[in-house]
Amino acid sequence: MLLGVNIDHVATLRQARYALLPDSPHAEPSPLQAALDSRDGGADSITIHVRGDRRHMQDRDAFEIRKLCPLPLNFEMGVTAEMTKLALKLRPDFACLVPETREEVTTEGGLDVAGRLAEVKNCVATLQDHGIRVSLFIDPDLHQIAAAVASGAEMVELHTGCFANSVDGTHEREIGRLIEAAKAGHAAGIQVNAGHGINYSNIYRLFVVPHLVELNIGHSIVARAMRVGFTEAVREIKDLMVAYPDA
Ligand code: PXP
């Protein structure tokens, strides 16, 4: 099982102080350093999301990480002309299409691929034409899986937010949805990844979901890094992932 480390919140912390001082030599912490530390800790890829409002990652972070970090880069992006243009300039290895609204604190729900099929299909084809493999961040619903397959994307990333927030009464239902979606995606021949809200305590509960190739984890690694350092935080979660039966 592969680990994609989402380092957006390293940039969140930097922007909290330096958003208005983008050229300050004192700006810290460095997303590039977090990417390099992730590599040292065993990450398989780096994920960044340049949002329309540039609230955390800036364009220059993306280009710097692309140039100086040897790991594959996964570029999370809204389905917009602006982001498609940026992706074609950046040339990441992968792009993950996500919904994006300005009010949300982070990516709150999956992309409605079924409701936006023509638009998504078009974006997928444009990215693929430029050698970028595409993933769609979707809720674990069978109609979204079917739409993702119809879009031509190579991968889906199942949204694990509801699983992560589930309590005793809803946990089984959420795991059941993930299992069904993973089986359907795999049967249709697309790569199945998962992400959002995964942490050092709930990751084990996800291991009953079959066919998962990659997990994308951000917030909890950044939080853990405050205690043990970034490299060690990545190493710890990577160590937990070896228990995945399908690994
Ligand atoms: N996957 C996607 C598509 C995301 O947008 C995010 C961040 O919101 C993550 C994974 C990582 O989520 P978290 O920071 O909760 O680990």
Side-chain angles (χ1 to χ4, degrees), residues 6 76 98 106-107 137 157 195-197 216-219:
N6 180 317
E76 274 184 25
V98 300
T106 177
T107 311
F137 184 53
E157 180 175 327
H196 200 92
N216 270 301
I217 308 178
H219 186 100

